[in-house]
Amino acid sequence: MVFHTCGPNEAMVVSGFCRSPPVMVAGGRVFVLPCIQKIQRISLNTLTLNVKSEKVYTRHGVPISVTGIAQVKIQGQNKEMLAAACQMFLGKTEAEIAHIALETLEGHQRAIMAHMTVEEIYKDRQKFSEQVFKVASSDLVNMGISVVSYTLKDIHDDQNYLHSLGKARTAQVQKDARIGEAEAKRDAGIREAQAKQEKVSAQYLSEIEMAKAQRDYELKKAAYDIEVNARRAQADLAYQLQVAKTKQQIEEQRVQVQVVERAQQVAVQEQEIARREKELEARVRKPAEAERYKLERLAEAERTQLIMQAEAEAESVRMRGEAEAFAIGARARAEAEQMSKKAEAFQLYEEAAQLNMLLEKLPQVAEEISGPLTSANKITLVSSGSGAMGAAKVTGEVLDILSRLPESVERLTGISISQVNHKPLRTA
């Protein structure tokens, strides 16, 4: 018997018989040809079986009906299983093979149902399917059939046992659902509170970190500001110092220029004073007028010189002490020269100059004496009965006072006006 696989769904079996088989030699090979040959085919298709077990009593005596779906096929790739399948099913149709496999599976299914409770089958269908698959596979493999898959399709009963079981289970599930919901809400509340607490803690930690970061930033910024302000203050002080130095240099130069200008002005004034003195000496005929004119001009020159020296001193006193010394020297020379001129004039004219000065001042003295009378609104005269009366009396009183004036001057100064008039003048 020879097996040939014609395709994935069919296998061919060749068998023959001969008492004295002929021999044929071809190409060095010997072929024995049978006298009788027979070819049979067996299907390798996958068969779908609807395995039903009606009203099978379970371990606790509860009858239930179970329907399972199985996929089986003859294994053509395994020679031993193919040989076993040929011995079992050769010459049978595909329906007959399916019926044999179905009966075998149904028997194993009923046996497993009898050893399990309804609750076990109902609650753990995977376990039931695995047991049926395992037991049926070990039996069918000896027939050359392999179980590809087995699945529990349906469970039902006529006593409403499963319905009651479902109700109890439903009630239990509902109770568990309510309990689970309550526990879930409780856990959710707890977790929510924990989450809020963690959130608040995280927020506080974050705020603390932010505060620390802000503090560090403020401290660093303050340090940087201090350093920047210090550098800026140094720069400002350096700038101000440089500006002060520059101003000081400019002021020194300006003072120097002003000192030179004032020195030149003092020199010009001295020359002008000298020229005016010469001019005064040449033009004035009368010694007294020349002296008075000279004294006035000298006094004016001195005042001008003192004012200019004071201005020069006020402007240059901080930086240049030499200007003050120069001004003081010039003023001393002018005063010395002035006093020298005065001394020379007094030596030259002596009593005549003095008399001239007195005569110039007598009108002022008379004016001062008669001043109160000019400002009086009312004069009351008391007479003893003799002499002039009225305005003549007032005039006489004034003339009497003026006639006594030379005597008063002589008592005060020691110079007699009447004697000076009779003395000859001395010339230098």
Side-chain angles (χ1 to χ4, degrees):
M1 184 179 293
V2 181
F3 302 96
H4 295 281
T5 302
C6 300
N9 299 324
E10 189 178 23
M12 183 179 64
V13 180
V14 181
S15 61
F17 173 76
C18 185
R19 291 190 179 185
S20 57
V23 179
M24 182 181 65
V25 180
R29 294 184 179 181
V30 178
F31 293 93
V32 179
L33 298 177
C35 295
I36 300 173
Q37 291 185 351
K38 185 178 180 181
I39 298 175
Q40 295 178 326
R41 298 178 184 274
I42 187 170
S43 176
L44 300 180
N45 292 328
T46 300
L47 304 176
T48 300
L49 305 179
N50 191 8
V51 184
K52 292 183 179 181
S53 299
E54 299 288 342
K55 297 181 182 180
V56 179
Y57 286 93
T58 60
R59 189 172 63 184
H60 291 165
V62 180
I64 61 173
S65 299
V66 173
T67 302
I69 302 297
Q71 304 287 337
V72 298
K73 68 174 295 185
I74 295 175
Q75 189 59 258
Q77 302 299 326
N78 192 324
K79 299 297 182 182
E80 294 180 357
M81 293 182 66
L82 182 58
C86 290
Q87 291 178 0
M88 291 289 296
F89 307 116
L90 194 60
K92 297 184 181 296
T93 61
E94 186 175 306
E96 293 175 341
I97 298 172
H99 180 71
I100 293 172
L102 178 61
E103 291 293 332
T104 303
L105 281 168
E106 201 273 332
H108 289 299
Q109 182 173 278
R110 294 175 69 91
I112 293 171
M113 289 171 63
H115 287 85
M116 296 181 69
T117 62
V118 178
E119 288 79 3
E120 291 176 347
I121 298 172
Y122 181 76
K123 293 179 180 179
D124 197 353
R125 296 189 178 193
Q126 182 67 28
K127 180 180 179 181
F128 177 79
S129 299
E130 288 177 355
Q131 290 187 6
V132 173
F133 180 84
K134 181 179 180 181
V135 175
S137 295
S138 64
D139 193 7
L140 291 174
V141 73
N142 295 325
M143 300 180 186
I145 299 175
S146 64
V147 181
V148 178
S149 66
Y150 174 83
T151 304
L152 180 59
K153 181 180 179 182
D154 181 43
I155 303 174
H156 64 276
D157 69 303
D158 297 335
Q159 307 296 326
N160 291 327
Y161 183 84
L162 292 174
H163 182 68
S164 301
L165 185 63
K167 284 185 176 181
R169 180 58 183 170
T170 301
Q172 182 65 32
V173 169
Q174 290 177 353
K175 182 183 73 173
D176 294 340
R178 289 192 297 271
I179 294 173
E181 183 180 1
E183 292 178 350
K185 289 183 179 179
R186 179 199 62 191
D187 296 339
I190 294 173
R191 290 180 181 177
E192 184 178 0
Q194 292 176 351
K196 288 182 179 179
Q197 183 178 2
E198 293 176 356
K199 178 182 178 182
V200 172
S201 300
Q203 183 177 359
Y204 288 159
L205 292 175
S206 177
E207 290 179 356
I208 291 172
E209 295 297 328
M210 290 176 63
K212 290 181 179 178
Q214 183 69 22
R215 180 199 62 189
D216 297 338
Y217 168 74
E218 295 294 338
L219 292 176
K220 290 182 179 179
K221 185 175 181 298
Y224 293 154
D225 290 342
I226 292 173
E227 185 177 359
V228 169
N229 292 331
R231 297 290 179 85
R232 186 178 297 165
Q234 292 177 357
D236 292 341
L237 291 176
Y239 172 75
Q240 295 177 1
L241 180 61
Q242 185 63 34
V243 170
K245 289 181 178 178
T246 304
K247 289 183 177 180
Q248 183 179 2
Q249 294 175 357
I250 295 173
E251 186 66 21
E252 289 178 355
Q253 294 177 359
R254 188 178 66 82
V255 169
Q256 291 177 0
V257 172
Q258 291 179 355
V259 168
V260 174
E261 291 178 353
R262 293 294 184 273
Q264 293 177 355
Q265 291 177 1
V266 170
V268 171
Q269 289 177 1
E270 289 179 352
Q271 294 177 1
E272 181 68 16
I273 291 171
R275 186 186 66 79
R276 289 183 179 181
E277 288 178 355
K278 291 180 181 180
E279 183 178 1
L280 180 62
E281 291 177 357
R283 293 184 178 181
V284 178
R285 294 179 181 180
K286 294 181 179 181
E289 293 179 359
E291 179 65 17
R292 180 175 60 81
Y293 186 76
K294 182 178 66 175
L295 292 175
E296 290 178 355
R297 292 295 179 268
L298 288 175
E300 183 179 357
E302 182 181 1
R303 182 180 64 83
T304 304
Q305 183 178 2
L306 290 176
I307 291 173
M308 296 181 68
Q309 287 177 355
E311 291 177 353
E313 181 181 0
E315 292 177 359
S316 61
V317 68
R318 290 186 302 108
M319 307 301 299
R320 305 291 295 178
E322 296 179 359
E324 181 181 0
F326 183 81
I328 293 173
R331 185 177 62 184
R333 288 193 299 272
E335 291 178 355
E337 188 174 358
Q338 179 183 359
M339 295 301 296
S340 178
K341 296 295 182 180
K342 288 182 178 181
E344 290 178 359
F346 280 111
Q347 289 178 2
L348 179 62
Y349 299 106
E350 293 182 354
E351 295 179 355
Q354 298 175 3
L355 179 60
N356 187 28
M357 293 175 63
L358 290 174
L359 293 176
E360 288 179 353
K361 298 298 181 180
L362 285 176
Q364 296 180 6
V365 172
E367 182 179 0
E368 293 296 328
I369 292 173
S370 61
L373 297 177
T374 60
S375 60
N377 296 326
K378 182 179 180 181
I379 298 175
T380 302
L381 297 176
V382 178
S383 177
S384 60
S386 64
M389 297 293 292
K393 180 67 175 178
V394 175
T395 304
E397 293 291 338
V398 172
L399 291 175
D400 184 55
I401 292 172
L402 292 176
S403 63
R404 296 177 184 178
L405 183 61
E407 184 180 355
S408 299
V409 170
E410 185 178 358
R411 286 199 302 268
L412 293 173
T413 61
I415 298 173
S416 176
I417 297 175
S418 60
Q419 292 179 2
V420 172
N421 292 333
H422 300 287
K423 289 182 179 180
L425 296 175
R426 291 185 302 174
T427 58

